[in-house]
Amino acid sequence: MENANSSESSSDLKVVHRMTVIKRIIHWTLFLSIINQIITGMYIAYPFLIFGITPTQADSPVSGVLNSGETYQAFIMTWMREFHFLGAVLIDVSFFGWLYLAFFSTKEPLYKSFLPFGNKINEMYKMLKHYFTLKNKPKTGKYQDPLNAIIFTFFHILLLLQMATGFQMYVASFTGTSAVGAWWPTMMHICTDWTLLVFGGLTGVTLTHLFITWLIIIFIFYHIYIEIWRSIVWKEGDILIPFGGYKYSRDNLKEDESD
Amino acid sequence: MRKSNEKDKSAKEKEIKNNDDDSFCSDEHNNRIDDTTFKWDPLRNIADDPDEVLNIIDSHLTNLEKEYFNGQKDIDENFNKVFSASSVSRREFIQWTALLTSALMLPTIFAPRVARAANILTRTPFIWLDMSDCMGNTEAFLRTAHPTPAEIILNYVSVDYMESIMVPAGYQAEARRDGTIKKYKGKYILVVEGAIPTAMNGKFLTIGAKGKTGLEITKATAKNAGVIIAVGNCASYGGIPAAHPNPTGSVGLSSVTDRQVINIPACPANPVNLVGTLVEYLLVGKSPMLDSLGRPLWAYSGRLHDNCYRRGHFEAGEYVKHWGDDGAKKQYCLYMMGCKGPFTWNNCTVAQYNQDMSFPMRAGHGCIGCSEPAFWDRMTPFEKPNADAKIFMPAVEATADEFGVALFGAAGVGVAAHAIYTGVKKRKNNKDKDKDKDKEKEKDKDDKLNSGDNK
Ligand code: HEM
Ligand code: HEM
Ligand code: SF4
Ligand code: SF4
């Protein structure tokens, strides 16, 4: 860090484009829907964690309002599940959008952060080392740095698992057909039945879904921490990427690395 | 009993007069039905044309009746004998055939045929093997105080071998079994109850005067059976004997024979499901459509959670919190008391137990998932929600949340350590630029931190 700062004056500060509008939309859709999934999912797992009391057992105005009315009016679990499924739809769309852009984005496809593979893995280790020594910051430019790229990819694999286990639980209530036809449950069965074998039946699938939720929570905290850390330590405005789409760079970037 | 050698169905169906009124089940249904066009249940598609379906079934039943009865008189008497002995009236029996017909998801036109098949069932050669089990299914079928027709039929089936009720013993019993296998090759019904130990070459279970292993007996009996049925969870999937760590290597029936096995799991299996499956086998001549776990779709295609009368309370967020609390009195959902209905496919809420009048959720206890594979491992703890179960991960003895929170805590500590380290390090770097000094301390800290925070 010191070296980087001393060798280059701040007048070299360059603006680098990092996130297209679509990617930013995907990022914040994911953010909102995942927060939604965590809240509604935890309610599904532990219906008492949030409201604490059932409508007719309500003994305080707050829980009374939250759970007011007759059984048929309350439907808290229905709403939680409904919002969970709505969030699931957003996650699915975002996921496949991300997958498409990872390869076919015209501006900054993710795969560029992995090629050539040997170099990039090396760079990843350098970044890790930099996290612990604060020295020799690898260059950051137009493309995501390999360490982030790998962690984000891993995170999307978690999302994919969450989708597979989630749809397996979802298809459980179908009996062979649906309002839109038999293809819908059939497709879900084809795509997600493997989870039953891998995780040991529907209960195992549910537990996996719950456990991955924790991994995702951990990712979120790590992710926010490391972006703030970068912004403070590098002083390159990394945190601005998902808002404005740009960051700054002090590194002497070659033409094709900046934009 | 109608004589059913008629070939061109729909025309004759209406003409048939109920002239044999004295016969046991001259059916009232038939007169009511003037439209024989129905859509054959797609679950069990044996022919596209409804008439053809009825023809196939009728000729099937006629052949079987010829084989096991001596003429019409014998058929009618058999009915009377079976049911009068158990004080079931003809009316009750007809009600029951209607029930079973609809349970089988068949149109009413099948009700008289179901009755005929039930009658034939009492004469079909039948071998009932008991392996590693508690005889719970036997007990449940044989010992009801007020048996339903399903249970009566099971009591009256012509059992050629069933250890708990047969008269012969020792060598005689085995001779009887071997005789049946030879005499009725490819025809007899084989019902197996209990898991089959396979460890030590099956020596954990030896049966009979010759001390044969259960493994040998099932293999030999299954080879020539007409239809093979595994009744109860143990025979279907290994059940309790196969629970972790399964020292006897117990497995379900389908794992020891390469022939098709119809699984009727549950603990104990519902007699309606067993008799229904046998009746359907007699009607169609082949096994019903099975799901991916080998269970007949007509009985096991519905998830309990979706057919439970407490589901409204589930959706409303109204749950029983403790046994006997207010919610329990109001029959709230048992989700928080560990109900495994959301993970279990069975027809308990429809066919019901105990003289067809109750099932666990009605009685106020959650489902324990007894019709699913490995329920003893996967559905436990029975009285706690699934989320409180231990996750299946080697060397981890924790629930998903305990483990998740622990990881989260560890990650938090790591992040905090890294943040502090960054702050300290930066200040140091600013203060003195002596590189040698720096490197020494760095190494110290690196070693410590790298182990704690290696994301
Ligand atoms: C549920 C919460 C969040 C999730 C799941 C999430 C996920 C992601 C993912 C997957 C990427 C990579 C995008 C890509 O590959 O195109 C990313 C990038 C980024 N996110 Fe988030 N994010 C979350 C919240 C936040 C928050 C709250 C902030 C900060 C305010 C933030 C800041 C960033 C930044 C700065 C990047 C760009 C990293 C780079 O390109 O080097 N994220 N996020
Ligand atoms: C970031 C993504 C997600 C998170 C954090 C999340 C979290 C959760 C949690 C904690 C539960 C409760 C598990 C339990 O009962 O023990 C749950 C249940 C469930 N989730 Fe998700 N989930 C996510 C994505 C999805 C997706 C994509 C689907 C796809 C349809 C889905 C479908 C379901 C279903 C069907 C249930 C069970 C609901 C029920 O039992 O009625 N989830 N989720
Ligand atoms: S009692 Fe069990 S099966 Fe019935 S609604 Fe509640 S969780 Fe579902
Ligand atoms: S309700 Fe559940 S535990 Fe009870 S018999 Fe049915 S499947 Fe088995």
Side-chain angles (χ1 to χ4, degrees):
Chain A
M1 195 62 232
E2 290 301 312
N3 303 346
N5 272 351
S6 52
S7 62
E8 283 152 45
S9 67
S10 46
S11 59
D12 291 83
L13 213 64
K14 252 192 207 163
V15 175
V16 187
H17 189 267
R18 274 287 282 277
M19 249 183 169
T20 56
V21 179
I22 304 221
K23 278 197 181 174
R24 277 177 270 157
I25 292 175
I26 290 179
H27 182 269
W28 292 113
T29 316
L30 264 187
F31 172 72
L32 290 178
S33 47
I34 287 177
I35 298 297
N36 169 66
Q37 296 306 83
I38 293 171
I39 296 171
T40 54
M42 284 299 178
Y43 182 77
I44 296 169
Y46 303 101
F48 287 101
L49 201 63
I50 297 171
F51 295 109
I53 213 128
T54 62
T56 45
Q57 292 167 320
D59 50 17
S60 82
V62 178
S63 57
V65 168
L66 283 172
N67 306 282
S68 60
E70 299 280 326
T71 293
Y72 75 91
Q73 289 169 321
F75 284 132
I76 298 165
M77 183 58 103
T78 310
W79 285 113
M80 289 293 170
R81 295 180 72 232
E82 190 62 32
F83 275 91
H84 200 80
F85 299 148
L86 289 177
V89 171
L90 290 178
I91 287 179
D92 300 336
V93 174
S94 310
F95 175 85
F96 288 108
W98 172 85
L99 192 65
Y100 177 82
L101 290 178
F103 291 99
F104 302 112
S105 167
T106 47
K107 275 203 145 162
E108 51 260 346
L110 185 67
Y111 77 86
K112 294 259 188 184
S113 306
F114 289 106
L115 293 176
F117 199 62
N119 284 359
K120 298 293 176 182
I121 291 296
N122 206 3
E123 218 176 295
M124 186 195 91
Y125 283 122
K126 272 192 199 144
M127 180 64 85
L128 258 184
K129 215 167 157 199
H130 168 65
Y131 281 175
F132 292 105
T133 61
L134 305 191
K135 274 191 205 152
N136 309 324
K137 170 182 168 286
K139 279 186 185 179
T140 50
K142 183 179 170 188
Y143 302 114
Q144 269 173 22
D145 60 282
L147 181 62
N148 256 7
I150 278 190
I151 288 174
F152 290 149
T153 308
F154 175 71
F155 167 74
H156 281 88
I157 291 172
L158 288 185
L159 273 193
L160 188 65
L161 275 177
Q162 204 70 331
M163 282 157 60
T165 50
F167 275 112
Q168 179 58 44
M169 287 188 273
Y170 186 53
V171 79
S173 57
F174 287 72
T175 42
T177 187
S178 75
V180 292
W183 63 271
W184 171 229
T186 311
M187 192 185 79
M188 285 196 278
H189 275 301
I190 292 172
C191 296
T192 67
D193 272 3
W194 58 271
T195 55
L196 289 177
L197 299 175
V198 175
F199 302 123
L202 198 55
T203 47
V205 167
T206 309
L207 291 180
T208 310
H209 198 80
L210 185 56
F211 180 61
I212 295 177
T213 302
W214 282 104
L215 295 185
I216 288 175
I217 293 174
I218 291 170
F219 166 83
I220 293 172
F221 278 85
Y222 160 78
H223 172 58
I224 295 174
Y225 168 75
I226 211 69
E227 294 303 336
I228 293 176
W229 184 90
R230 287 178 168 201
S231 308
I232 293 174
V233 174
W234 296 355
K235 298 200 179 70
E236 294 184 347
D238 283 73
I239 199 90
L240 299 176
I241 296 173
F243 298 98
Y246 291 94
K247 69 167 271 180
Y248 303 102
S249 178
R250 288 175 217 279
D251 304 327
N252 265 331
L253 298 172
K254 281 178 256 141
E255 265 309 295
D256 67 323
E257 283 176 327
S258 60
D259 194 289
Chain B
M1 278 285 113
R2 218 164 6 82
K3 308 215 168 48
S4 38
N5 30 12
E6 67 259 22
K7 281 275 127 59
D8 37 10
K9 200 81 261 151
S10 44
K12 281 198 179 163
E13 194 84 317
K14 290 171 226 158
E15 289 169 25
I16 293 167
K17 282 167 216 123
N18 243 355
N19 46 9
D20 40 359
D21 267 341
D22 48 350
S23 76
F24 192 80
C25 111
S26 62
D27 40 73
E28 294 132 38
H29 312 285
N30 259 6
N31 298 336
R32 270 189 268 121
I33 293 161
D34 41 49
D35 180 14
T36 49
T37 49
F38 57 88
K39 260 237 169 322
W40 179 258
D41 191 322
L43 294 181
R44 278 149 284 147
N45 204 350
I46 57 169
D48 291 332
D49 180 16
D51 296 345
E52 210 182 318
V53 170
L54 290 179
N55 280 341
I56 293 173
I57 286 174
D58 283 338
S59 64
H60 222 279
L61 292 177
T62 313
N63 286 343
L64 288 172
E65 273 169 358
K66 264 191 207 135
E67 186 164 349
Y68 297 124
F69 295 93
N70 307 317
Q72 188 64 37
K73 212 170 151 228
D74 190 15
I75 295 175
D76 297 341
E77 269 170 8
N78 187 52
F79 256 116
N80 290 330
K81 215 168 63 204
V82 170
F83 289 107
S84 61
S86 325
S87 64
V88 166
S89 72
R90 178 174 168 279
R91 168 131 231 107
E92 279 167 327
F93 177 70
I94 287 175
Q95 276 170 356
W96 178 80
T97 48
L99 183 137
L100 191 64
T101 311
S102 59
L104 284 165
M105 299 183 192
L106 295 175
T108 8
I109 195 168
F110 282 92
R113 293 170 176 86
V114 166
R116 279 173 74 188
N119 192 25
I120 296 170
L121 189 56
T122 61
R123 290 275 177 99
T124 317
F126 199 94
I127 295 182
W128 180 297
L129 294 180
D130 271 291
M131 296 291 132
S132 289
D133 64 9
C134 65
M135 290 217 152
N137 293 286
T138 311
E139 291 286 324
F141 295 159
L142 299 185
R143 291 221 200 205
T144 22
H146 304 284
T148 59
E151 285 142 1
I152 294 167
I153 289 169
L154 284 175
N155 288 0
Y156 270 85
V157 286
S158 99
V159 186
D160 295 278
Y161 183 87
M162 180 175 193
E163 282 126 14
S164 44
I165 58 168
M166 68 195 299
V167 178
Y171 289 107
Q172 272 180 326
E174 304 217 328
R176 180 87 175 267
R177 188 181 68 221
D178 296 339
T180 309
I181 295 176
K182 262 194 208 119
K183 194 167 156 205
Y184 297 104
K185 200 170 171 177
K187 283 181 194 148
Y188 61 91
I189 294 167
L190 170 64
V191 175
V192 176
E193 180 186 2
I196 298 130
T198 55
M200 271 170 62
N201 222 350
K203 292 239 165 44
F204 280 101
L205 175 70
T206 52
I207 297 172
K210 291 180 197 144
K212 281 193 182 164
T213 64
L215 190 60
E216 285 170 322
I217 296 176
T218 31
K219 273 189 177 164
T221 329
K223 216 160 109 198
N224 295 319
V227 60
I228 306 175
I229 293 181
V231 65
N233 192 302
C234 302
S236 302
Y237 310 122
I240 294 157
H244 184 76
N246 193 4
T248 58
S250 290
V251 294
L253 182 57
S254 51
S255 309
V256 301
T257 167
D258 23 340
R259 299 203 41 200
Q260 186 193 38
V261 175
I262 306 174
N263 291 331
I264 316 277
C267 194
N270 195 329
V272 173
N273 291 351
L274 178 58
V275 173
T277 304
L278 291 173
V279 161
E280 186 168 337
Y281 167 70
L282 292 184
L283 284 177
V284 187
K286 58 180 188 183
S287 75
M289 282 279 278
L290 306 177
D291 69 4
S292 58
L293 295 170
R295 306 176 288 196
L297 273 178
W298 66 265
Y300 293 89
S301 62
R303 191 170 60 144
L304 285 163
H305 188 51
D306 296 325
N307 296 327
C308 176
Y309 78 108
R310 300 193 182 207
R311 178 64 181 262
H313 293 294
F314 172 83
E315 299 292 355
E318 297 177 327
Y319 304 97
V320 179
K321 285 200 286 185
H322 310 287
W323 297 123
D325 70 359
D326 212 31
K329 284 174 200 151
K330 290 179 173 148
Q331 310 207 0
Y332 283 177
C333 169
L334 296 153
Y335 189 62
M336 296 311 288
M337 300 312 290
C339 179
K340 300 298 184 293
F343 311 102
T344 311
W345 278 258
N346 204 342
N347 59 355
C348 314
T349 53
V350 182
Q352 314 197 27
Y353 280 86
N354 293 354
Q355 283 97 58
D356 301 344
M357 72 185 254
S358 191
F359 54 93
M361 283 75 92
R362 167 151 293 155
H365 191 282
C367 168
I368 60 170
C370 72
S371 55
E372 294 294 317
F375 81 107
W376 206 263
D377 295 326
R378 291 176 183 171
M379 303 288 176
T380 42
F382 289 140
E383 294 186 350
K384 281 192 180 157
N386 182 51
D388 283 353
K390 301 263 187 281
I391 48 176
F392 317 110
M393 211 183 268
V396 176
E397 177 68 19
T399 68
D401 290 295
E402 285 161 6
F403 192 44
V405 169
L407 281 184
F408 185 62
V413 169
V415 161
H418 187 251
I420 293 167
Y421 163 71
T422 309
V424 171
K425 181 79 197 255
K426 267 193 101 174
R427 195 166 294 166
K428 269 230 168 85
N429 283 353
N430 289 343
K431 263 186 195 163
D432 71 32
K433 306 197 168 175
D434 183 353
K435 285 192 178 166
D436 291 18
K437 250 190 186 173
D438 237 341
K439 259 185 192 163
E440 269 182 69
K441 287 190 179 157
E442 217 169 79
K443 263 190 188 161
D444 278 13
K445 274 176 184 150
D446 262 10
D447 293 347
K448 266 184 225 153
L449 285 163
N450 264 330
S451 50
D453 187 3
N454 46 0
K455 287 179 218 71

